[in-house]
Amino acid sequence: MNVKKSDENYVTIGGVKLERTAVLAPMASVADHAFRMMCRKFGAAAVTSEMVSAKGICYGDKKSAELLTVTEEERPMSVQLFGSEPDFMARAAQEAAKYKPDLIDINCGCPVAKVVSTGAGSALMKDPELIGRIVRSIRNATDIPVTVKIRRGWSLDTENAVEAAKAAEQNGACAIAIHARTKDQLYSGSADLDTIARVKKAVGSIPVIGNGDIDSAQAAARMYELTGCDLVMVGRAACGRPWIFRQIKHYFLTGEILPEPALEDKLAIMAEHIELLVKDKGEYIGMKEARKHTAWYLKGMKNAAEYRRICGTLSTLEDFYSLIKQVKNDN
Ligand SMILES: Cc1cc2nc3c(=O)[nH]c(=O)nc-3n(C[C@H](O)[C@H](O)[C@H](O)COP(=O)(O)O)c2cc1C
């Protein structure tokens, strides 16, 4: 597998210069400030907020506004909006711009019924012309560069990623990210690299970000090589493994595959993450949310099934520290 050459080490998206390694995918209920900080610390080239409802923002919902917060340490950071009406999306983008994100991303991929039933998320794949109008309306409303995250299509029968990407490009998007599965596929099967290659060929003037199933440095290199994409995006594989970004960067720089961190190091990284989560959200909410993250960190270890059960009961930092002690004793 070829490792990228040094003259290909950066890509510019809407004037924002990014390392050509891997960016963190937007993930609702996962990619909050604490998780994004961990990913940036390990070298994610950029991070994205959880998706935020355009209507929620326009109607002054407090939770939606909180999701828009961008801290300096997280930059470059994008905030992702979901919605289906160009006017609302433009007003939401103006509100979002007050938080000074580096980029604003439009969600055209979410398959969740609550979102799709309003015409937003992956339902937009049924109407590329509307995607174009939304991009245009946001472009006209703010100076923040706009990106679009699409899927392969709504279904295999109506596959139209190229058309959707072109509509976004023609209306002023500055990059296209593509999760190469259809809405109907949800997360089943594997992402279709050929779709990413076709989108890259069709969209000449702006970068294309490939996404789907990257779970190692070699998989990232493979996506670059087989699709010709400008950047890659990692989602699920960063859950409980934020160091994947360091592994990807290291591989591209040196051609060497970094091993997984030693147990002690993994536990220290997990503790740093969970302590930050609790600092951000308080112990009650923070520890509830820590349950899934801790289970991801401990996946695959000896006694993992027992740890998963314990993770599901964590309520205090004290519970969490005793779990760490137990893992150390067992291993
Ligand atoms: C828990 C979870 C939440 C997600 N939330 C979002 C989201 O808010 N917006 C979005 O565009 N995609 C969302 N996605 C999709 C991911 O961004 C990504 O496209 C998908 O997981 C495929 O990449 P992967 O194989 O690297 O995980 C989510 C995925 C997961 C697993």
Side-chain angles (χ1 to χ4, degrees):
M1 191 63 62
N2 282 338
V3 175
K4 293 186 293 90
K5 299 183 199 79
S6 58
D7 59 343
E8 301 173 329
N9 280 349
Y10 293 93
V11 58
T12 302
I13 295 183
V16 183
K17 188 177 173 187
L18 303 180
E19 279 191 306
R20 206 165 165 240
T21 50
V23 296
L24 175 66
M27 285 189 284
S29 307
V30 174
D32 58 6
H33 168 258
F35 184 68
R36 296 192 302 260
M37 286 293 289
M38 298 307 293
C39 294
R40 282 287 291 143
K41 174 183 163 143
F42 283 106
V47 294
T48 305
S49 72
E50 303 171 69
M51 63 178 183
V52 194
S53 158
K55 281 205 169 155
I57 296 171
C58 293
Y59 292 138
D61 172 48
K62 225 176 116 211
K63 172 94 173 100
S64 301
E66 279 165 16
L67 292 175
L68 295 173
T69 303
V70 174
T71 63
E72 288 309 309
E73 301 97 316
E74 290 171 275
R75 294 185 189 282
M77 176 168 161
S78 169
V79 297
Q80 190 188 61
L81 303 179
F82 73 94
S84 59
E85 291 153 75
D87 286 356
F88 272 105
M89 292 293 271
R91 277 169 50 204
Q94 281 172 335
E95 258 330 287
K98 294 179 184 163
Y99 295 80
K100 301 193 173 8
D102 297 288
L103 301 164
I104 291 179
D105 187 49
I106 303 170
N107 182 322
C108 305
C110 178
V112 171
K114 212 170 74 182
V115 171
V116 169
S117 63
T118 65
S122 56
L124 290 172
M125 291 304 296
K126 292 179 174 176
D127 193 349
E129 193 263 339
L130 178 56
I131 293 178
R133 280 196 288 129
I134 290 174
V135 173
R136 177 63 53 197
S137 71
I138 298 181
R139 282 297 310 261
N140 291 340
T142 82
D143 290 336
I144 313 277
V146 181
T147 62
V148 176
K149 181 159 175 282
I150 62 174
R151 274 187 176 246
R152 184 175 171 187
W154 175 264
S155 63
L156 285 176
D157 293 351
T158 58
E159 207 180 313
N160 62 349
V162 165
E163 199 190 334
K166 281 182 137 172
E169 179 190 31
Q170 282 157 9
N171 284 283
C174 64
I176 308 289
I178 167 157
H179 174 198
R181 286 187 176 83
T182 65
K183 181 265 172 193
D184 280 354
Q185 289 176 311
L186 298 172
Y187 292 90
S188 67
S190 42
D192 180 52
L193 297 189
D194 187 49
T195 300
I196 300 173
R198 281 190 294 112
V199 169
K200 171 61 194 163
K201 270 211 188 90
V203 166
S205 67
I206 53 174
V208 170
I209 306 170
N211 170 236
D213 301 343
I214 293 175
D215 59 1
S216 65
Q218 299 96 306
R222 185 165 171 267
M223 182 164 304
Y224 275 113
E225 190 166 287
L226 297 185
T227 69
C229 66
D230 301 283
L231 194 56
V232 299
M233 175 180 274
V234 175
R236 291 166 296 169
C239 297
R241 254 179 95 211
W243 52 82
I244 189 171
F245 294 104
R246 181 171 64 188
Q247 292 173 320
I248 292 172
K249 185 169 173 176
H250 188 82
Y251 184 56
F252 290 165
L253 288 176
T254 67
E256 268 169 36
I257 296 169
L258 276 182
E260 289 291 290
L263 177 75
E264 281 279 335
D265 296 332
K266 276 189 191 175
L267 296 177
I269 294 163
M270 174 172 75
E272 182 182 345
H273 179 175
I274 302 312
E275 282 161 7
L276 183 54
L277 179 55
V278 166
K279 186 166 166 235
D280 284 348
K281 300 190 181 180
E283 195 172 41
Y284 182 74
I285 295 177
M287 286 315 299
K288 274 196 168 168
E289 296 191 1
R291 293 172 185 173
K292 58 178 179 266
H293 290 286
T294 49
W296 285 326
Y297 278 105
L298 302 177
K299 206 167 123 187
M301 288 186 187
K302 193 173 107 192
N303 298 340
E306 168 66 359
Y307 300 153
R308 194 167 55 246
R309 188 194 62 73
I310 298 171
C311 290
T313 66
L314 295 176
S315 297
T316 62
L317 272 174
E318 212 179 309
D319 296 342
F320 171 62
Y321 294 132
S322 1
L323 172 61
I324 292 188
K325 226 181 247 163
Q326 181 178 340
V327 176
K328 281 185 180 162
N329 285 341
D330 291 350
N331 287 274

